[in-house]
Amino acid sequence: MADKPVRADKASAVDELTEHFRGSAATVLTEYRGLTVKELTELRRSLGSEAKYTVAKNTLAKRAATDAGIEGLDTLFTGPTALAFVKGDVVEAAKGLRAFAKAHPVLVIKGGVFEGKALTADEVNKLADLESREVLLAKLAGAMKGNLTKAAGLFQAPLAQVARLGAALQEKREKEGSAEA
């Protein structure tokens, strides 16, 4: 199917989709059957500015994925398909899609692609279970700060021991000096 010639008007659509596939950190495929235009607009807004949600013909989207070098999505291009191209935080977009799907059960997450690897619907939901990038970075910074504090304490301990040893030796000499006198 990817070897069939494409009409000029469809070629530009394939090129645009190919660029979205290449420029995205992740892409999530959904089935939107039963959603109203208002609900689709609400979904687009809930994904934020870092994600683009677009409806595409399966044949064009499949060709674009192939042109972008993405494999493993062919079985997902059935029924009415919409693609969420995520350029920003993948976890936040996955959470937004999952929350919208809970509120609107007609939205079905089919799967997707993340870092060139095809994902099942369950794996997309696992991404949604992760904490956001900001939370993970804050936890990492806290852990690093704690380790640096411990390291500073360890580096100061030998110096403190040397100082206490010096004070003890000085005391001993003073006692010995006063005992001799």
Side-chain angles (χ1 to χ4, degrees):
M1 184 164 259
D3 297 333
K4 279 174 93 176
V6 178
R7 288 191 340 228
D9 59 333
K10 293 184 179 181
S12 63
V14 170
D15 290 342
E16 184 180 342
L17 288 171
T18 302
E19 287 306 310
H20 284 308
F21 272 115
R22 287 185 180 145
S24 300
T27 303
V28 180
L29 282 76
T30 64
E31 183 174 321
Y32 64 94
R33 185 184 326 220
L35 290 175
T36 64
V37 173
K38 182 181 175 185
E39 291 169 335
L40 284 173
T41 304
E42 182 185 333
L43 173 58
R44 284 184 175 101
R45 282 193 192 125
S46 72
L47 292 176
S49 62
E50 295 293 316
K52 179 175 175 63
Y53 190 77
T54 184
V55 174
K57 287 188 171 240
N58 288 329
T59 54
L60 300 181
K62 191 184 296 188
R63 183 181 293 264
T66 302
D67 290 351
I70 297 170
E71 298 176 3
L73 298 180
D74 290 350
T75 59
L76 302 179
F77 290 113
T78 57
T81 301
L83 305 141
F85 296 105
V86 183
K87 292 187 180 189
D89 190 355
V90 177
V91 173
E92 287 302 314
K95 284 182 181 187
L97 281 168
R98 184 176 64 181
F100 191 87
K102 281 183 181 178
H104 303 89
V106 292
L107 180 76
V108 177
I109 297 173
K110 295 181 180 182
V113 62
F114 179 59
E115 295 182 349
K117 180 185 174 282
L119 301 175
T120 64
D122 289 337
E123 290 171 326
V124 173
N125 284 324
K126 285 181 185 175
L127 273 176
D129 289 335
L130 294 175
E131 292 174 329
S132 71
R133 183 177 188 271
E134 289 78 20
V135 171
L136 292 174
L137 287 174
K139 285 184 175 184
L140 177 64
M144 289 175 68
K145 182 180 175 191
N147 286 337
L148 289 175
T149 304
K150 287 180 188 176
L154 287 174
F155 291 136
Q156 288 177 349
L159 295 175
Q161 286 176 343
V162 168
R164 284 193 297 269
L165 179 63
L169 286 174
Q170 186 176 7
E171 253 182 61
K172 183 178 177 184
R173 283 189 188 151
E174 287 173 3
K175 284 183 183 177
E176 288 175 357
S178 63
E180 290 176 9

